[in-house]
Amino acid sequence: MSQDPFDFRPDPDRYAVMGDPIDHSLSPRIHTLFAEQTGQALTYEAIQVDQGGLAQALGNFGASGGRGANITVPLKERAYALADELSDRARLAGAVNTLTLADGRLIADNTDGAGLVADLTENLGWPLAGASILLVGAGGAARGVIAPLLEAGPARLLVVNRTPDRARELADHFRHLGLVEGGGLAAAQGPFDIIINATAASLAAEVPDLPAEAIGEQTRVYDMMYGAEPTAFLGWAAARGAAELADGLGMLVGQAAESFRIWRGVRPDAAAVLATLRQELISGG
Ligand SMILES: NC(=O)c1ccc[n+]([C@@H]2O[C@H](COP(=O)([O-])OP(=O)(O)OC[C@H]3O[C@@H](n4cnc5c(N)ncnc54)[C@H](OP(=O)(O)O)[C@@H]3O)[C@@H](O)[C@H]2O)c1
């Protein structure tokens, strides 16, 4: 609230990320940098919310002036169920990471796939059109990126997963959009142009049991996970002679940039914020 009676500037709009755990979320830092960069008056906070508490948390946040929220693990499917309006990409993904709060209604979108594609094509310069792409994993993250990847026109998209049926189900779900197949990890006979790790294996410093032939000397390898050090998956790919490696920090900034554009109508310079964040991650600050 404004304290000075002669200060007639409105309070800044409120935004938040909701999830559990949420302490280490980089989203408040990213959106603060976007706001500074674009001159937008807003605040962005992290709110711990468990599975059962999302409806209540969103109601409270909206009542206290909240304008929008990012939704992260493990609440993306719950947010999908609560939404009053779904964008096409949220409906296809079956999950929501961006909510706009307007007149008591929840308008939902999913920007994860756009964030990944922007990172691959704009930041990294990895062409997707005509490429053979291997997507490893069949959880929420994989589901959110298949439609935007197919939209980019790859020659082939193969989804493989430790539990093969989940990958086959995903391929069936998206087949009307393009050439996508599903199978077990052993089906990843390459070499592929691009491999994207969308499993949670790197969280436990594990590597999915892929055939060595998945990687050739032209293969570019992406891990959706990120950190100050290269992930286990990127270490595995480097040891097999992958041509280029990238982690998921750029995807995180990319999905945030698309949320910011939806909320504020301004597209921030994601590459500049990514460079700042990378520096902070490496220096531990
Ligand atoms: N950079 C970003 O912006 C961004 C955005 C979203 C997600 N992510 C990251 O993406 C990852 C996946 O997230 P999610 O939401 O999809 O998780 P999820 O829904 O829990 O799915 C987990 C997936 O990982 C597989 N998996 C887990 N441990 C494995 C192991 N040891 N070996 C092989 N496969 C394993 C699972 O296979 P089964 O089906 O066989 O269990 C499943 O396919 C997380 O690391 C998350 O941090 C990053």
Side-chain angles (χ1 to χ4, degrees), residues 30-31 34 89 97-98 111-120 122-123 222 248-261 267-271 273-274 277:
I30 294 171
H31 282 276
F34 287 162
R89 51 194 185 180
N97 80 332
T98 304
T111 66
D112 280 337
L116 173 69
V117 168
D119 194 34
L120 293 173
E122 294 167 25
N123 296 332
Y222 192 97
L249 191 63
M251 173 178 174
L252 182 77
V253 176
Q255 61 78 28
E258 180 65 1
S259 296
F260 193 92
R261 185 195 64 74
R267 181 175 287 284
D269 179 354
V273 168
L274 174 58
L277 221 62

Side-chain angles (χ1 to χ4, degrees), residues 72-73 76-77 112 115-116 136-143 145 160-164 166-167 185 197-204 206-209 222-226 247-255:
T72 188
V73 176
K76 291 181 184 181
E77 283 81 12
D112 280 337
L116 173 69
V136 189
R143 195 180 178 92
V145 302
V160 296
N161 193 45
R162 182 175 62 180
T163 310
R166 292 187 75 195
L185 297 174
N197 182 26
T199 73
S202 286
L203 287 172
E206 291 170 4
V207 176
D209 194 13
Y222 192 97
D223 194 348
M224 285 193 190
M225 213 188 111
Y226 53 82
D247 72 9
L249 191 63
M251 173 178 174
L252 182 77
V253 176
Q255 61 78 28

Side-chain angles (χ1 to χ4, degrees), residues 30-249:
I30 294 171
H31 282 276
T32 300
L33 288 168
F34 287 162
E36 284 169 12
Q37 191 192 59
T38 57
Q40 296 277 310
L42 59 84
T43 64
Y44 190 108
E45 62 208 275
I47 302 177
Q48 170 118 3
V49 178
D50 63 25
Q51 277 284 5
L54 184 60
Q56 176 85 49
L58 287 167
N60 293 347
F61 190 56
S64 62
R67 300 279 302 272
N70 283 128
I71 304 297
T72 188
V73 176
L75 305 174
K76 291 181 184 181
E77 283 81 12
R78 182 77 190 119
Y80 177 88
L82 291 173
D84 295 301
E85 262 179 57
L86 288 164
S87 68
D88 286 348
R89 51 194 185 180
R91 186 173 291 108
L92 272 169
V96 161
N97 80 332
T98 304
L99 287 170
T100 303
L101 281 54
D103 304 325
R105 289 173 62 75
L106 298 175
I107 300 164
D109 207 335
N110 188 319
T111 66
D112 280 337
L116 173 69
V117 168
D119 194 34
L120 293 173
T121 58
E122 294 167 25
N123 296 332
L124 296 165
W126 296 3
L128 300 179
S132 64
I133 302 177
L134 175 68
L135 180 64
V136 189
R143 195 180 178 92
V145 302
I146 292 176
L149 285 174
L150 286 173
E151 218 168 275
R156 174 188 190 208
L157 177 61
L158 176 64
V159 184
V160 296
N161 193 45
R162 182 175 62 180
T163 310
D165 279 350
R166 292 187 75 195
R168 291 193 192 103
E169 280 161 26
L170 270 193
D172 289 345
H173 181 74
F174 287 98
R175 188 154 298 116
H176 66 290
L177 297 177
L179 285 175
V180 52
E181 309 148 60
L185 297 174
Q189 300 294 333
F192 295 86
D193 296 321
I194 296 175
I195 299 177
I196 300 164
N197 182 26
T199 73
S202 286
L203 287 172
E206 291 170 4
V207 176
D209 194 13
L210 291 170
E213 302 77 50
I215 295 188
E217 57 187 24
Q218 308 292 331
T219 306
R220 293 159 156 155
V221 178
Y222 192 97
D223 194 348
M224 285 193 190
M225 213 188 111
Y226 53 82
E229 303 293 330
T231 67
F233 192 75
L234 294 181
W236 172 84
R240 275 150 195 80
E244 285 183 67
L245 306 170
D247 72 9
L249 191 63

